[in-house]
Amino acid sequence: MSENFTQNSTLKTQHSFKLPQFGTTIFTVMSQLANEHQAINLAQGFPNFPCSDQLVDLVTFYMKTGHNQYAPMPGVAALREQIAKKTALLYGHLPDSNSDITITCGATEAVFSTITTCVQPGDEVIVFEPAFDIYAPAISLCGGVLKPVALSLPDYRLDHELLAKSISSKTKLIILNSPHNPSGAIVSHEDMLFLEQLLKGTDILLLSDEVYEHIVFDGKKHHSAHEYPDLRNRSFVISSLGKTYHTTGWRMGYVIAPKALMAEFRKVHQYITFSAHTPSQYAFAEFMKDESQYLGLNDFFQQKRDLFLNALKTSRFKVIPTAGTYFQFLSYQGMSDGNDVAYATQLTAIHGVAAIPVSVFYQEPQNNHMLRFCFAKDEETLLKAAEKLCKI
Ligand code: GLN
């Protein structure tokens, strides 16, 4: 009987599926490799320290008091109101909490739903490379054409001329990501003004991925699309509660867009996840009232970056201190000629520290001898990792 079942279930046709050119994400691959070799995992970007107890208590409270069914499709109203207030406080723009804000299952769903909302077959989407790895597959699923624009080394700056040249009559969407994952670079006020000017009079939309908005160092400032009226009016601005409150496992993010764009976004969001985790939304609505939680994040992570870089002073890796995010690039130029995937594998297996090879963030892999390290870790972990890296 079981044999029959196996035979009957064997497919006769060789189907073609939707993402043949994509494999498992580098984050899963490197985390698995780190576990296998019991290496310190500075690869996948997540904190290894706990989130706030008070926040956990609030989620528990809302679970125990019966907030366990579907949230409203756009999100719990009280949370959207807090987000509107915060946006006004930080960026001087008060979005309408009813029509302009939607709570999503992580920023990942926000990005996927935005791309799905905007991109039709043949549409061109401009993406700055190296690019976080969730943009390309979503564009591909929509039949869009990814137009990579390389950020300029060594500091991963936006090349205005290259960007201007890459725009065509088919450009539907530009994906901007600042603070930038993986490089940690941030766009300048001049970059934002340039982009605003460049897009004036066009119908090009902007996806502004700002999930690291609260993690910017050395007194620098995050420049949000919210602050530039002509960008804001064409933008889906994406933020992450997971990144800001050390709760990446809760999958909580949000999108802000003008009413007409948000109406289209919600048509997609409602059929992908319908709504996000209810008790967490009530908890965040209360917890977000404490502004110090996100205003203190710059200093909190700068201390970690500085501790890590200080501990690496005697290492052979070359460093440009990261401007934002909780990622630091280290160059192994002069230490090995191998490609970065091989080097990252070797680093994990032999030296006991896992990092992300940067070439995977390009359409055409290139070897810049660069690895990305996540420093959202407790002091002990960072010092141990640095000690291992200094021995190489
Ligand atoms: N954003 C995190 C990173 O860049 C993790 C992403 C993921 O695991 N999907 O490492």
Side-chain angles (χ1 to χ4, degrees):
M1 171 126 174
S2 69
E3 230 181 85
N4 267 347
F5 177 78
T6 312
Q7 272 171 13
N8 289 343
S9 70
T10 303
L11 302 173
K12 291 194 192 79
T13 326
Q14 197 65 36
H15 291 291
S16 62
F17 291 99
K18 298 291 283 288
L19 289 176
Q21 72 279 36
F22 292 88
T24 305
T25 87
I26 190 69
F27 304 111
T28 302
V29 169
M30 291 313 299
S31 279
Q32 270 172 3
L33 197 69
N35 288 341
E36 213 174 284
H37 294 281
Q38 289 173 354
I40 300 175
N41 188 359
L42 303 191
Q44 193 175 21
F46 62 90
N48 77 337
F49 42 83
C51 65
S52 150
D53 262 353
Q54 195 195 341
L55 186 55
V56 173
D57 287 345
L58 281 169
V59 178
T60 310
F61 171 80
Y62 283 108
M63 281 181 165
K64 290 207 161 162
T65 52
H67 297 75
N68 296 304
Q69 306 311 326
Y70 297 121
M73 181 273 278
V76 164
L79 177 56
R80 284 184 280 128
E81 278 156 26
Q82 280 310 311
I83 289 169
K85 272 191 198 153
K86 182 186 114 168
T87 308
L89 174 83
L90 292 179
Y91 307 122
H93 161 61
L94 180 69
D96 182 321
S97 67
N98 278 320
S99 59
D100 302 354
I101 301 174
T102 298
I103 313 299
T104 56
C105 294
T108 299
E109 191 247 314
V111 167
F112 189 86
S113 295
T114 299
I115 291 172
T116 305
T117 300
C118 300
V119 178
Q120 288 172 300
D123 285 345
E124 291 181 358
V125 183
I126 292 175
V127 171
F128 298 100
E129 282 192 340
F132 186 52
D133 76 338
I134 64 175
Y135 309 136
I139 295 166
S140 173
L141 284 170
C142 294
V145 180
L146 190 153
K147 291 279 163 189
V149 172
L151 294 170
S152 296
L153 271 56
D155 50 359
Y156 296 85
R157 240 172 248 268
L158 210 116
D159 183 328
H160 293 188
E161 207 180 314
L162 214 55
L163 169 60
K165 268 198 215 150
S166 68
I167 289 184
S168 83
S169 58
K170 290 189 185 151
T171 307
K172 181 69 162 282
L173 179 69
I174 295 178
I175 301 183
L176 185 68
N177 171 216
S178 178
H180 179 250
N181 183 5
S183 76
I186 55 175
V187 289
S188 64
H189 176 54
E190 290 69 36
D191 291 333
M192 294 303 271
L193 288 178
F194 173 79
L195 188 60
E196 190 176 39
Q197 205 53 42
L198 186 68
L199 300 187
K200 248 194 190 123
T202 74
D203 285 333
I204 297 171
L205 300 165
L206 184 69
L207 184 169
S208 189
D209 177 348
E210 304 186 9
V211 300
Y212 298 99
E213 63 191 314
H214 302 299
I215 315 179
V216 174
F217 306 128
D218 304 315
K220 291 188 182 118
K221 195 184 162 308
H222 166 59
H223 300 286
S224 169
H226 290 305
E227 296 169 300
Y228 302 83
D230 210 64
L231 288 181
R232 174 169 82 223
N233 291 336
R234 59 178 81 241
S235 289
F236 298 85
V237 182
I238 294 177
S239 294
S240 164
L241 296 167
K243 292 274 143 50
T244 301
Y245 296 100
H246 319 311
T247 54
T248 61
W250 295 3
R251 315 306 300 128
M252 294 287 294
Y254 60 90
V255 187
I256 304 180
K259 185 177 178 177
L261 295 183
M262 186 49 81
E264 295 303 317
F265 176 93
R266 286 178 180 172
K267 289 183 197 171
V268 172
H269 162 76
Q270 67 185 344
Y271 292 123
I272 291 185
T273 63
F274 185 71
S275 59
H277 191 244
T278 306
S280 300
Q281 293 193 50
Y282 282 101
F284 275 121
E286 240 169 280
F287 197 66
M288 272 184 75
K289 288 179 188 160
D290 176 6
E291 293 156 12
S292 70
Q293 294 290 337
Y294 52 83
L295 294 178
L297 219 54
N298 294 333
D299 289 344
F300 175 80
F301 278 115
Q302 178 153 350
Q303 264 180 26
K304 292 192 179 295
R305 182 201 67 173
D306 292 347
L307 177 103
F308 186 50
L309 291 187
N310 207 37
L312 282 171
K313 274 218 165 104
T314 61
S315 90
R316 294 167 65 204
F317 289 98
K318 292 189 189 70
V319 182
I320 300 179
T322 190
T325 74
Y326 45 55
F327 303 117
Q328 176 64 55
F329 270 8
L330 297 182
S331 162
Y332 63 90
Q333 188 95 48
M335 295 167 68
S336 162
D337 285 335
N339 74 46
D340 58 357
V341 174
Y343 193 77
T345 307
Q346 189 188 329
L347 196 66
T348 309
I350 299 172
H351 302 286
V353 182
I356 298 284
V358 173
S359 66
V360 302
F361 298 118
Y362 288 88
Q363 296 291 298
E364 299 286 337
Q366 42 191 279
N367 192 12
N368 294 323
H369 299 89
M370 199 67 90
L371 299 178
R372 190 199 80 172
F373 293 77
C374 170
F375 56 84
K377 307 293 166 191
D378 57 42
E379 252 181 49
E380 197 193 334
T381 306
L382 291 174
L383 292 176
K384 258 196 209 153
E387 195 187 320
K388 286 175 188 284
L389 295 173
C390 285
K391 283 191 186 140
I392 303 170

